[in-house]
Amino acid sequence: MIVEGDEKMDDIILVQPVRIIQQDSSDYGEWEREILAYRQEFLEKGDSINGSRGLHHYEAIEGWLEQIRDCAFDNNSYIGVPVTTFLALRKESGRAEGIPHIVGNIEIRHRLNPALEELGGHIGYSVRPSERRKGYAVRMLRETLAFARGLGLERVMLDCDADNT
Ligand SMILES: CC(C)(COP(=O)(O)OP(=O)(O)OC[C@H]1O[C@@H](n2cnc3c(N)ncnc32)[C@H](O)[C@@H]1OP(=O)(O)O)[C@@H](O)C(=O)NCCC(=O)NCCS
């Protein structure tokens, strides 16, 4: 994920977990540990994991991945509109092997319905507590806006609770 003028940009990349995590692959267990550690950091802080397709509900990633897959389709029973869910990954410097570190998650709902117009909008996102205030959310959003343009969206709606710092 590289944007001109942002020298830190090239250290993170947005990926779709359902495309890179296969249940029969040798690194499935490592992905599961990393994702559950990511989830745990939010739970310990008492934060919800906005824009994660409900990761906080899952103690194993199988069901979570299944929900992400189901939500890719229109009229799905969870949210009713197609959703694409991304993880933001950072390749650790000096770590040649192993899966990258997860810094955040972001999801885009491809269109609004009356419920999303009222609450949620097109895009929800979170950065893990230990990685906040480093500009990751700005960069994740920028990349997701490019994805939104690819979907044909000229405007997107984001919302925020009035008491969310
Ligand atoms: C909101 C959230 C995604 C921001 O992530 P982040 O990576 O820390 O954000 P960034 O470092 O990219 O900062 C984005 C901007 O917000 C400001 N900001 C971020 N956290 C802030 C805080 N706690 N207090 C004041 N300003 C803050 C930054 O200064 C920056 O402003 P700037 O662009 O004018 O410099 C993160 O705090 C989070 O995950 N919160 C819980 C989930 C949530 O609230 N999601 C949003 C609703 S869907």
Side-chain angles (χ1 to χ4, degrees), residues 2 21 25 52 65 74 105 110 127 141 151:
I2 300 173
I21 306 172
S25 71
S52 71
L65 292 171
D74 207 357
N105 64 268
H110 296 201
V127 168
L141 181 57
L151 295 175

Side-chain angles (χ1 to χ4, degrees), residues 50-122:
N50 294 335
S52 71
R53 280 301 80 225
L55 176 60
H56 59 282
H57 292 304
Y58 294 92
E59 289 176 6
I61 62 169
E62 189 185 350
W64 178 62
L65 292 171
E66 204 175 299
Q67 186 187 157
I68 292 175
R69 260 183 233 109
D70 289 349
C71 286
F73 297 101
D74 207 357
N75 298 316
N76 65 75
S77 57
Y78 293 98
I79 189 165
V81 304
V83 185
T84 303
T85 305
F86 296 101
L87 290 176
L89 306 179
R90 183 183 67 214
K91 188 74 187 166
E92 298 289 274
S93 53
R95 188 174 158 196
E97 304 216 343
I99 60 170
H101 186 61
I102 303 168
V103 297
N105 64 268
I106 187 161
E107 71 175 36
I108 175 160
R109 300 124 200 173
H110 296 201
R111 60 181 166 77
L112 298 180
N113 58 20
L116 288 167
E117 270 170 26
E118 185 65 28
L119 183 72
H122 285 96

Side-chain angles (χ1 to χ4, degrees), residues 42 47-51 123-128 131-139 159-161 164-165:
F42 286 86
D47 272 5
S48 57
I49 318 174
N50 294 335
I123 297 174
Y125 58 155
S126 297
V127 168
R128 80 190 293 162
E131 297 289 354
R132 289 182 185 166
R133 310 299 300 265
K134 297 179 183 176
Y136 287 134
V138 168
R139 289 139 69 190
D159 69 5
C160 179
D161 289 341
N164 185 336
T165 317

